[in-house]
Amino acid sequence: MKFSKLLIIKIIFILISSQFIFNVSKAKAAEEIKIVYSLFSRTITVNSLKKFAEEGNSTKNIKTILKATGSPNDEIRSVLKKDFEIPITIASKLVYSEIGNIFLRRLSSIIHPPRASDEKTGMLALRASIVQGIKLGNGKINLINFFEGYPTKTVILDVNALSKVMNKVESISELFDFFTNSPLDKIKTN
C-alpha cells in the first residue's frame, strides 16, 4: 500500500515538474503573412486578410498590395473565400501521393516557414496547413482557412517564386482545375 501511494505521488510530481522543465509551446496558427519580393517585403495579418475577405474592409498594407496586383477587390475577395469541398481522407491521400509530393515541393518554394532551410520542412508545413484548414472549414478549405491552419506564426509568400510558376501556367484557374478535378476523380474511385 505504501509503495503504490509513493509511486502515485512520484508520477504526479514528474508530470507537474515536466511541464515546467520541458516547457514546449504548442504550435500556433499563422498570425501574419510576410510577402517577399526581391529585397522588399510587406507583412499583413491573417485576421486583416480574413476581415477583408469577409467584409471588404482593408488595412493600409492590404490596400498597397491590392493596388500592386491590378485586380479588382471583388475578384481577390472571391478567390480568398472560394471553398473547395474535399473530405479529409481524400486530401490525405492526395498530399501523400506522388503528384501531391510534386505539387507540395513546388509550392514549398512559394509558401514556407520563415527559417525553412529545406523543402521538406516547407512540405510538412503545407501538409499540416491543408489538413488543419479542412478541419477548420468543416470539410471545406479556402485560402483563409489554409493560412489559419499554417503551423508557424509567420508564413512567407515569395512573389519571385510565384512569378516563375505563373509564367509556366497560363492562368491560375487552369492550375486549380488541374489539381482539383483530374487527380481527385482518380483518388475518389480508388
Side-chain angles (χ1 to χ4, degrees):
M1 201 54 131
K2 286 182 182 181
F3 178 73
S4 64
K5 283 183 182 180
L6 186 61
L7 182 62
I8 291 171
I9 291 172
K10 283 183 181 181
I11 290 173
I12 291 172
F13 176 74
I14 290 171
L15 290 174
I16 291 172
S17 64
S18 68
Q19 295 297 318
F20 297 111
I21 295 171
F22 304 110
N23 186 12
V24 179
S25 61
K26 294 181 180 179
K28 297 191 178 202
E31 295 174 11
E32 59 188 21
I33 303 166
K34 186 173 184 178
I35 301 169
V36 178
Y37 182 72
S38 295
L39 299 175
F40 304 101
S41 69
R42 293 264 183 207
T43 302
I44 57 173
T45 65
V46 174
N47 284 337
S48 65
L49 190 64
K50 183 177 183 176
K51 189 173 184 177
F52 168 71
E54 291 173 353
E55 303 168 8
N57 302 334
S58 57
T59 62
K60 182 180 174 184
N61 280 345
I62 290 179
K63 285 179 185 176
T64 304
I65 293 166
L66 292 175
K67 192 187 295 184
T69 66
S71 298
N73 288 1
D74 291 340
E75 186 178 315
I76 293 173
R77 288 179 63 210
S78 69
V79 168
L80 290 171
K81 294 188 303 184
K82 180 160 177 63
D83 284 330
F84 295 95
E85 189 171 343
I86 180 167
I88 197 81
T89 54
I90 292 175
S92 181
K93 283 182 182 180
L94 182 61
V95 296
Y96 284 100
S97 69
E98 200 170 315
I99 194 166
N101 284 330
I102 292 167
F103 180 71
L104 291 176
R105 188 174 300 116
R106 290 182 182 168
L107 190 58
S108 71
S109 67
I110 300 168
I111 301 170
H112 55 84
R115 291 180 283 278
S117 59
D118 61 347
E119 65 186 23
K120 187 175 181 177
T121 304
M123 288 174 63
L124 292 171
L126 288 169
R127 279 189 186 116
S129 182
I130 290 167
V131 171
Q132 185 64 17
I134 292 170
K135 180 182 174 197
L136 290 170
N138 295 319
K140 296 178 183 177
I141 189 166
N142 58 36
L143 285 174
I144 300 297
N145 290 345
F146 172 82
F147 286 121
E148 286 179 327
Y150 205 82
T152 61
K153 179 181 175 186
T154 303
V155 180
I156 303 295
L157 177 62
D158 188 334
V159 176
N160 291 330
L162 178 61
S163 296
K164 289 177 186 175
V165 170
M166 290 306 295
N167 287 336
K168 294 178 184 176
V169 179
E170 286 186 29
S171 71
I172 194 72
S173 62
E174 202 178 281
L175 185 66
F176 276 135
D177 287 342
F178 175 75
F179 281 107
T180 58
N181 293 333
S182 355
L184 290 181
D185 291 337
K186 291 177 185 174
I187 291 173
K188 286 177 186 175
T189 59
N190 290 340

